[in-house]
Amino acid sequence: MELLAAAFSAACAVDHDSSTSESDARDSAAGHLPGSESSSTLGNEATPEECPALPDSPTTLTEALQMIHPIPSDSWRNLIEQIGLLYQEYRDKSTLQEIETRRQQDAEIQDNADGSPASAETPEEDEGEEEEPASPPERKAVPQICLLSNPHSRFNLWQDLPEIRSSGVLDILQPEEIRLQEAMFELVTSEASYYKSLNLLVSHFMENERLKKILHPSEAHILFSNVLDVMAVSERFLLELERRMEENIVISDVCDIVYLYAADHFSVYITYVSNQTYQERTYKQLLQEKAAFRELITQLELDPKCRGLPLSSFLILPFQRITRLKLLVQNILKRVEERSEREGTALGAHKELELVVKACNEGVRKMSRTEQMISIQKKMEFKIKSVPIISHSRWLLKQGELQQMSGPKTSRTLRTKKLFREIYLFLFNDLLVICRQIPGDKYQVFDSAPRGLLRVEELEDQGQTLANVFILRLLENADDREATYMLKASSQSEMKRWMTSLAPNRRTKFVSFTSRLLDCPQVQCVHPYMAQQPDELTLDLADILNILDKTEDGWIFGERLHDQERGWFPSSMTEEILNPKIRSQNLKECFRVHKMDDPQRSQNKDRRKLGSRNRQ
């Protein structure tokens, strides 16, 4: 966050008019609104022509709320019932639309930068274009929330509700407020879609009588865990959101409800997600070992209700939803007025959701890490003084084979294959263990060092033999002395990945702790990626990441903006964001979302400094 704070002030220096225009262009995914189409070129301030107001018309949200009548409960229930997509379908289409919107923004900027005809139009032509936005064809981007609706439904957006159209509220509210209404509306309707999918998981799979006879009670418990508790919480949460919608057709807020449920009820998600490791293992074993289970699940998945989706996509729903809910609150936070009451509730809701998501991640990691550490301990034989491997505070960061260089660096030895010997490294979050692989899938440990006492150095280009070679220094090894290893990796990306893991505070190619994040390239994920190694980062569609380093053979070391998680991933899974104004806007939004973290981070930093002084 210190990096984001340093970048924020520089990001704010971007020309206000151009950044406002980019923000409006990005928000086109929420639909071009009646009376607000010109805002994409004139900024967020509405002119009298855009928002004609009668003398007795309200000009603030509070006044608007006092004039608008509640939505009849029957109308709202009809809307919920007409949501035709399962949550998996909504999530995929929503993120794909988000990706496409960013692509359109980059294309528009590139066209203007390349001097395309669109950027060389005369003032007269520009004036003529300003009169056209009121026409229907201007609605270029399909709003995300539209994807939730049944193809035959007339309800697409909050602004498309008959009560909204007939109330005249669209002539009262400013464009930014309407976009905010759409963001809150998406949170509510997506929760309805999620509840529909959970209900199908329970009614169609879990409560199937044939499946109950096939599964042992313990197997059923591991497979479905506490999904009934999760669904019950979702139902109550949705009912609270529905009541808020029924109070007034102009939604006052939803983040206060999110905050209460995240703080008091969403612990059921932590329980469910923490079981994920055992759930996945049990599901695979059942498919492999029980033919009756495999045949029945295949039959159930073919039911039209499932829309061709497998059981596994239903089992992972709770983790996907709690993560997505945090992003939906971020989307609301970007649109609320700064230093307003609604910003306070959005920040509080986001903070609580972040705690839940982190607890879910830690729950999953704890289960898998414990088993992994036990397995590694069994495979190690110590040639030196034994080091206890298993610890509740220790986990594996990276493991793999490297080539150790030995002998004098002369032209004669460089021509021989005997210059290198194979060694195997286990890098934990606080410890490095150096081994040689021996028969029987065992590893003989001959050196170790605390991770904080490791230093790495990349060799300059010295020809093919020394390509991808780096120096590893142990400032204090197992013998309480300094040791140096010259190590060769199989590729440039493997070398950089080892160097980044061994010494995480080293300077990276695009950004360091002394540089500005504004200089950082950005990418968005266009293909989901599942991490294969502990130092890799799992990517979801539409994730935005800062590039911290990259290799010539197609790997990127990046930091995801919405949670600051870092790791390596293939560049082929992403597309670069070329528009510098969009990159700047992404950073400003990220800083705003996480600004509540700053005081605590600063206090922790002060405590570390004080502790360091006391040790000295």
Side-chain angles (χ1 to χ4, degrees), residues 26 91 138 256 392 563 597 602 610:
R26 186 184 64 260
R91 187 174 180 271
E138 272 300 308
D256 56 334
H392 291 297
D563 59 6
D597 299 341
S602 179
L610 181 60

Side-chain angles (χ1 to χ4, degrees), residues 267-539:
S267 58
V268 296
Y269 282 94
I270 302 173
T271 304
Y272 186 92
V273 175
S274 297
N275 182 57
Q276 184 177 334
T277 301
Y278 300 122
Q279 183 189 63
E280 290 177 351
R281 181 187 306 159
T282 299
Y283 181 57
K284 290 178 181 178
Q285 288 177 347
L286 289 170
L287 289 175
Q288 293 172 358
E289 299 173 4
K290 287 193 175 184
F293 174 83
R294 183 172 60 251
E295 293 171 2
L296 178 57
I297 292 301
T298 301
Q299 180 181 341
L300 293 175
E301 289 174 344
L302 292 174
D303 191 293
K305 296 177 184 177
C306 296
R307 311 285 180 84
L309 296 167
L311 171 60
S312 57
S313 74
F314 289 89
L315 293 174
I316 201 173
L317 280 173
F319 183 61
Q320 290 180 335
R321 179 55 183 173
I322 199 66
T323 305
R324 183 68 180 175
L325 194 58
K326 188 184 80 166
L327 297 179
L328 291 172
V329 170
Q330 284 186 9
N331 197 35
I332 293 172
L333 182 53
K334 294 171 187 176
R335 288 161 171 77
V336 296
E337 185 179 355
E338 292 195 51
R339 294 180 293 279
S340 66
E341 182 180 350
R342 287 193 293 186
E343 184 190 46
T345 59
L347 285 170
H350 181 267
K351 183 67 176 178
E352 288 298 325
L353 285 171
E354 199 165 51
L355 292 175
V356 175
V357 171
K358 286 182 179 179
C360 288
N361 287 329
E362 285 303 314
V364 174
R365 290 167 181 165
K366 184 178 180 181
M367 295 294 185
S368 59
R369 285 171 177 172
T370 300
E371 294 185 350
Q372 188 179 46
M373 298 300 287
I374 294 173
S375 175
I376 292 174
Q377 175 79 67
K378 291 179 179 179
K379 294 180 179 180
M380 285 187 175
E381 295 180 0
F382 285 84
K383 187 177 180 181
I384 57 174
K385 182 179 178 181
S386 178
V387 178
I389 297 298
I390 299 176
S391 170
H392 291 297
S393 60
R394 178 174 293 155
W395 61 87
L396 183 69
L397 294 180
K398 189 171 177 61
Q399 71 179 80
E401 187 177 88
L402 292 170
Q403 303 289 321
Q404 179 191 1
M405 179 178 175
S406 59
K409 293 183 286 184
T410 65
S411 58
R412 179 175 300 177
T413 57
L414 286 176
R415 297 193 192 99
T416 67
K417 294 284 186 181
K418 296 179 181 179
L419 178 63
F420 298 102
R421 293 185 60 187
E422 294 178 355
I423 63 172
Y424 202 93
L425 270 59
F426 289 93
L427 178 64
F428 303 97
N429 61 306
D430 61 346
L431 178 71
L432 171 67
V433 177
I434 306 177
C435 322
R436 287 192 178 90
Q437 196 164 5
I438 57 178
D441 194 25
K442 298 283 187 178
Y443 299 90
Q444 187 180 66
V445 180
F446 65 88
D447 208 351
S448 65
R451 188 180 177 218
L453 298 179
L454 304 178
R455 301 293 183 269
V456 294
E457 177 185 344
E458 185 176 355
L459 290 182
E460 296 180 2
D461 187 13
Q462 300 186 29
Q464 186 63 33
T465 305
L466 292 181
N468 307 321
V469 172
F470 66 97
I471 296 173
L472 170 63
R473 288 191 174 89
L474 281 56
L475 300 185
E476 185 178 311
N477 72 347
D479 297 326
D480 297 327
R481 60 182 177 83
E482 184 173 335
T484 301
Y485 293 89
M486 187 174 290
L487 303 175
K488 181 180 177 67
S490 59
S491 64
Q492 183 195 43
S493 61
E494 188 66 13
M495 178 191 70
K496 288 203 170 187
R497 287 172 63 171
W498 270 112
M499 293 178 69
T500 301
S501 298
L502 290 163
N505 293 333
R506 60 182 286 272
R507 184 184 179 91
T508 53
K509 183 174 182 180
F510 292 102
V511 66
S512 72
F513 291 100
T514 59
S515 68
R516 299 184 312 171
L517 274 177
L518 269 184
D519 299 329
C520 227
Q522 288 178 5
V523 293
Q524 69 167 335
C525 173
V526 295
H527 302 289
Y529 178 72
M530 181 64 68
Q532 305 298 314
Q533 298 291 335
D535 65 332
E536 295 179 9
L537 190 62
T538 294
L539 301 181

Side-chain angles (χ1 to χ4, degrees), residues 549-562:
D549 207 343
K550 67 179 181 180
T551 66
E552 295 177 359
D553 53 352
W555 284 84
I556 292 176
F557 180 62
E559 179 182 76
R560 186 163 46 220
L561 291 190
H562 76 76

